[in-house]
Amino acid sequence: MKIGVGLDARLGLPFDQLRAAAREAARLGFESVWTPAGGVPDSFHVCAAWSQDTALRTGISVVPAARMWTPLGLAAQAATLAQLSSGRFVLGLGTGGYGPGFWASVGLPDRPIAVMREYVTEVRGLLAGRQVTAGPIVTRADTTAGAPGWPRSASLGLADLPPAPVYLAALGPQMLRLAGEIADGALLNWATPERIAVSREHPAGRGLPGPVRPDGVRCGAE
């Protein structure tokens, strides 16, 4: 059993206290430390500091991909943290919202499975050192503008990067199935213990790394 701790922005901890909390987590024997994205201090900077202060695995659970990032921007951040942490960083991705109103607000179709399929596939391809051609959904191929900052084809320009696993937030069976197909793991935030047990027995969930409870504690045996 590997158990991690989550430090949510709602705790209101300043940067120095987040660093101190991670050092205490390492002293107490936790395996990993996690934070959500979207708050202040910025989650990528927090994970970078944790990686320098401790030997713990760090992770973001989760980055609201469609709301805030292009695949290229996400991959560049994750690759940097993979180098800083010697491969001890996990990038968690989620949609960032749901419902037709949300998807209209970010200029994408109300097709969360298809959107996340493109995001995860493209981010993982970039992290693997490949030249990636952007998919039609993320680039909004039905418009003339395309997604800001996301060229039709891109690479990080580096090979042999340390590993940076990409986990997918999976709150339902379809997203869990997608995680089993294209991601390195699944994150079951906001799931009850009963829901976690069902997800672990789902064919797509078998063999995936342990999920995360609402408080960020990793609760699956690995």
Side-chain angles (χ1 to χ4, degrees):
M1 180 75 71
K2 296 180 180 179
I3 301 177
V5 61
L7 297 173
D8 197 297
R10 289 173 295 183
L11 295 172
L13 298 178
F15 197 78
D16 287 347
Q17 289 185 26
L18 286 168
R19 297 182 73 168
R23 291 192 292 268
E24 179 68 4
R27 187 188 71 80
L28 293 172
F30 286 97
E31 180 268 342
S32 56
V33 59
W34 299 75
T35 185
V40 176
D42 169 70
S43 55
F44 287 98
H45 288 81
V46 169
C47 285
W50 287 344
S51 295
Q52 297 299 294
D53 292 345
T54 76
L56 295 176
R57 188 164 56 123
T58 70
I60 301 177
S61 177
V62 296
V63 175
R67 190 174 75 213
M68 298 178 65
W69 291 89
T70 65
L72 183 59
L74 277 173
Q77 293 279 28
T80 302
L81 272 169
Q83 291 182 324
L84 283 171
S85 67
S86 300
R88 290 180 286 112
F89 171 71
V90 177
L91 175 64
L93 298 185
T95 62
Y98 57 90
F102 165 74
W103 292 106
S105 73
V106 295
L108 293 170
D110 185 14
R111 299 174 57 197
I113 302 298
V115 170
M116 295 313 297
R117 181 182 295 278
E118 284 194 9
Y119 258 96
V120 172
T121 300
E122 291 163 15
V123 169
R124 291 188 74 206
L126 290 162
L127 290 171
R130 297 196 297 270
Q131 184 82 18
V132 171
T133 299
I137 296 177
V138 174
T139 55
R140 288 178 273 181
D142 58 338
T143 69
T144 56
W150 182 217
R152 298 297 180 183
S153 181
S155 76
L156 294 180
L158 293 172
D160 300 321
L161 288 164
V166 178
Y167 288 12
L168 178 62
L171 306 185
Q174 288 183 297
M175 202 66 81
L176 182 64
R177 188 177 302 111
L178 183 65
E181 291 177 10
I182 64 168
D184 297 299
L187 296 168
L188 307 183
N189 299 36
W190 308 320
T192 63
E194 293 77 16
R195 179 61 190 163
I196 289 171
V198 169
S199 296
R200 287 191 65 84
E201 291 304 314
H202 190 284
R206 294 174 187 164
L208 286 175
V212 177
R213 287 205 324 238
D215 56 6
V217 177
R218 295 187 64 77
C219 51
E222 294 186 66

